[in-house]
Amino acid sequence: MDNYEYTQLLKNLENKIENIESILKPIEIKARLKEIETLESNPNFWNDTNQATLIGKEKNRLLGRLNKFNKAFEAINDAKELYEMALEENDEDTIEQLFNDAQILNELIKQTEIEVMLSNPEDGANAIVTIHPGAGGTESCDWASMLYRMYLRWAERKGFKVEVLDYQPGDEAGIKDVSFIINGINAYGYLKVENGIHRLVRISPFDSNAKRHTSFCSVMVSPEIDDNIDIIIEDKDIRIDTYRASGAGGQHVNKTESAIRITHIPTNIVVQCQNDRSQHKNKASAMKMLKSRLYELELEKQMADKNGIEKSEIGWGHQVRSYVLQPYKQIKDSRSGIGYSNVDAILDGDLDKVLEDVLIAQSK
């Protein structure tokens, strides 16, 4: 790195900080924090435990964002001032150190940028993920299992916990359907960009002629909603079916119709759960999935109204990412337009950069 490159980097990062400030609105955050302090100083405030808890969460969320912004803002100003002083005094050692720290500074601003993009209340929620293979039989079922493993490995890298809600193995290999919750801070905020169709191109391990095959899987991601969000589902709007669980489970699988499938008639959303031996628990989990899907659907409609566009359901044409393993190796995201050559690492859960690039692209 030379003086020109570092100067350009500082200019670029200053522009990013200005954009972050315009979105985050730190002055409004400070005003809201003062309002919360006034509320907390009232003895009656603590009488309503639920309300106090909600406001406490809001306070912590606002303080966290404000502190991260202040840290990034100060880091840029300190680097700029130090660089100008070093140039005036011809201090080569300090300039060299600033060049060496440039990547750290760049990463700090990027992480602050990501934090701002995950500022919606639902972004901090756990993520409910459903993977469903498209047409293509065993080949698509195998692709579904590859995606499932990718998300499990990503969750493991982040230190997140995974709870399986529904798992239906394929007839020969792979997965017919799988639903699971990833529990962790900002799990939904990151994974919401995975909503859509994922396309795989490769030499099929199930084709004796070693021909290239194209497979599709749909991935649906919803925020796990808490009890403070009231989603009303009327009995007349749902159809509940029970059936015998499939897969591992021994005699229980053959004897008990514990698996639950719920169809929401107005939206045609279908959720199912068979993870627990208790039909009651499976029904509760399925209702949680349905409420989360309905909540996510409402969020999409609100966003569409805000942007002045018509909300359309995800279809097979809504392809978000292509994973090409043959004749070359590349993963390309249709939203960010960026291609990645580290295919094996991404399929092994190294997803952060891919997700962050999409979040940045969608914020522009």
Side-chain angles (χ1 to χ4, degrees):
M1 180 173 283
D2 56 26
N3 287 345
Y4 174 77
E5 290 174 328
Y6 190 73
T7 301
Q8 290 302 115
L9 173 67
L10 287 178
K11 286 181 180 178
N12 183 39
L13 295 182
E14 280 185 305
N15 287 335
K16 285 189 175 183
I17 280 290
E18 288 177 5
N19 290 336
I20 292 170
E21 187 173 13
S22 66
I23 297 170
L24 192 65
K25 299 180 175 62
I27 294 175
E28 291 184 11
I29 288 180
K30 290 176 182 177
R32 176 56 182 162
L33 286 171
K34 283 187 177 180
E35 288 178 7
I36 292 175
E37 286 180 12
T38 302
L39 288 172
E40 289 178 334
S41 64
N42 186 336
N44 295 327
F45 171 79
W46 304 101
N47 293 337
D48 188 339
T49 307
N50 291 334
Q51 184 68 12
T53 301
L54 281 176
I55 291 179
K57 287 181 179 179
E58 180 190 2
K59 179 182 178 181
N60 290 336
R61 190 170 64 245
L62 292 176
L63 280 172
R65 288 180 197 148
L66 188 61
N67 289 337
K68 287 190 176 182
F69 170 76
N70 288 338
K71 183 179 178 181
F73 186 81
E74 289 167 8
I76 285 288
N77 283 343
D78 290 347
K80 185 179 178 182
E81 290 176 8
L82 192 57
Y83 182 57
E84 290 173 353
M85 287 172 58
L87 286 177
E88 289 178 6
E89 299 172 8
N90 199 25
D91 186 348
E92 295 294 336
D93 290 340
T94 299
I95 292 173
E96 186 64 29
Q97 186 59 49
L98 286 168
F99 289 172
N100 292 336
D101 293 341
Q103 185 57 40
I104 297 173
L105 183 63
N106 193 36
E107 188 62 27
L108 174 63
I109 303 305
K110 181 180 179 181
Q111 289 305 315
T112 306
E113 197 174 20
I114 297 298
E115 180 71 21
V116 170
M117 291 167 200
L118 302 180
S119 59
N120 294 322
E122 66 275 2
D123 287 336
N126 301 327
I128 298 179
V129 185
T130 298
I131 303 172
H132 186 73
T138 302
E139 180 67 29
S140 292
C141 289
D142 189 55
W143 174 219
S145 70
M146 291 170 66
L147 285 173
Y148 179 48
R149 180 185 181 277
M150 180 178 75
Y151 295 127
L152 291 185
R153 295 286 288 123
W154 177 79
E156 185 181 327
R157 286 167 180 260
K158 304 287 284 185
F160 294 166
K161 293 182 179 179
V162 177
E163 175 190 349
V164 179
L165 298 174
D166 184 58
Y167 185 97
Q168 298 180 44
D171 294 332
E172 296 179 31
I175 298 171
K176 279 185 180 178
D177 217 54
V178 64
S179 296
F180 53 100
I181 300 177
I182 295 183
N183 296 282
I185 297 173
N186 288 335
Y188 174 72
Y190 274 101
L191 289 178
K192 64 184 178 183
V193 302
E194 295 300 280
N195 259 320
I197 306 305
H198 295 246
R199 169 178 173 260
L200 173 70
V201 180
R202 65 168 176 174
I203 299 292
S204 172
F206 307 101
D207 187 340
S208 58
N209 296 318
K211 291 183 178 180
R212 269 199 307 162
H213 284 246
T214 300
S215 306
F216 297 91
C217 277
S218 69
V219 176
M220 291 173 283
V221 185
S222 307
E224 183 187 20
I225 62 172
D226 56 35
D227 296 334
N228 296 311
I229 299 174
D230 191 18
I231 303 292
I232 298 173
I233 299 176
E234 296 187 23
D235 291 342
K236 66 181 179 64
D237 289 337
I238 59 175
R239 183 176 70 250
I240 301 177
D241 300 307
T242 61
Y243 59 98
R244 290 182 181 179
S246 60
Q251 294 179 343
H252 158 72
V253 170
N254 299 320
K255 292 183 177 179
T256 312
E257 288 196 346
S258 60
I260 294 289
R261 180 185 296 112
I262 301 177
T263 303
H264 188 251
I265 298 167
T267 60
N268 204 31
I269 291 174
V270 180
V271 295
Q272 55 195 33
C273 185
Q274 60 168 342
N275 189 54
D276 202 279
R277 291 192 175 194
S278 164
Q279 186 184 100
H280 178 73
K281 289 182 179 178
N282 284 334
K283 183 179 178 182
S285 294
M287 285 299 293
K288 178 192 289 185
M289 291 168 65
L290 178 57
K291 287 182 177 181
S292 294
R293 289 281 299 279
L294 290 172
Y295 180 61
E296 195 259 345
L297 185 66
E298 183 58 32
L299 291 175
E300 288 185 3
K301 287 179 180 178
Q302 290 176 7
M303 184 59 68
D305 291 341
K306 182 180 178 182
N307 295 333
I309 57 175
E310 186 176 344
K311 163 74 174 72
S312 61
E313 293 299 319
I314 290 176
W316 291 113
H318 190 81
Q319 183 176 300
V320 295
R321 194 174 301 135
S322 289
Y323 306 71
V324 180
L325 306 185
Q326 190 71 26
Y328 56 89
K329 281 192 170 186
Q330 186 188 54
I331 292 175
K332 187 167 185 179
D333 195 282
S334 61
R335 285 80 49 89
S336 66
I338 298 175
Y340 306 88
S341 58
N342 58 329
V343 173
D344 293 336
I346 291 172
L347 288 173
D348 195 40
D350 189 8
L351 263 179
D352 274 357
K353 186 174 188 326
V354 181
L355 301 177
E356 289 169 359
D357 286 340
V358 178
L359 285 168
I360 291 170
Q362 290 181 335
S363 70
K364 293 177 180 178

